[in-house]
Amino acid sequence: MVDNDVYEPNNTEETAYLLTAGVPVEFQLGYSDIDYFIIETTKAGQDVQIDFSGFNYATEGSFYAFFDDVKIGTIKSNGTYYLHATNAGKHIIELYN
């Protein structure tokens, strides 16, 4: 947990922060921190875009990202990721450093 992160506590799926489409979120991801976020899709087969930017890769290195327990990848630079939500409903995004 990071003290100056306004979305904490969000270190479990139960305390995950609900993201809103088109609304940017700035958060802190510290060493050994795990953050959970929720997105909701309205229909099966929706594609989701996630943009990562502003992470301090020089000091923190990289972080890991998962979407519904499937690894998106090791995030080593800012960029856009496209995800596919097979089912409608709530989906979990997990980030950890």
Side-chain angles (χ1 to χ4, degrees), residues 3-67:
D3 290 335
N4 58 348
D5 186 345
V6 297
Y7 303 104
E8 296 285 3
N10 64 337
N11 293 37
T12 66
E13 290 186 20
E14 292 76 26
T15 59
Y17 180 81
L18 178 63
L19 298 174
T20 302
V23 178
V25 173
E26 292 184 26
F27 62 95
Q28 303 289 321
L29 188 63
Y31 181 73
S32 296
D33 189 21
I34 300 174
D35 284 348
Y36 289 88
F37 297 91
I38 294 174
I39 60 166
E40 291 188 71
T41 57
T42 56
K43 56 187 172 187
Q46 263 185 286
D47 291 322
V48 177
Q49 175 182 324
I50 298 176
D51 298 306
F52 292 113
S53 64
F55 185 74
N56 191 342
Y57 300 96
T59 60
E60 299 295 332
S62 62
F63 63 93
Y64 304 98
F66 292 80
F67 181 70

Side-chain angles (χ1 to χ4, degrees), residues 63-75 83 94 96:
F63 63 93
Y64 304 98
F66 292 80
F67 181 70
D68 287 342
D69 293 325
V70 175
K71 188 173 184 180
I72 298 170
T74 302
I75 311 302
L83 312 170
E94 176 186 352
Y96 71 92

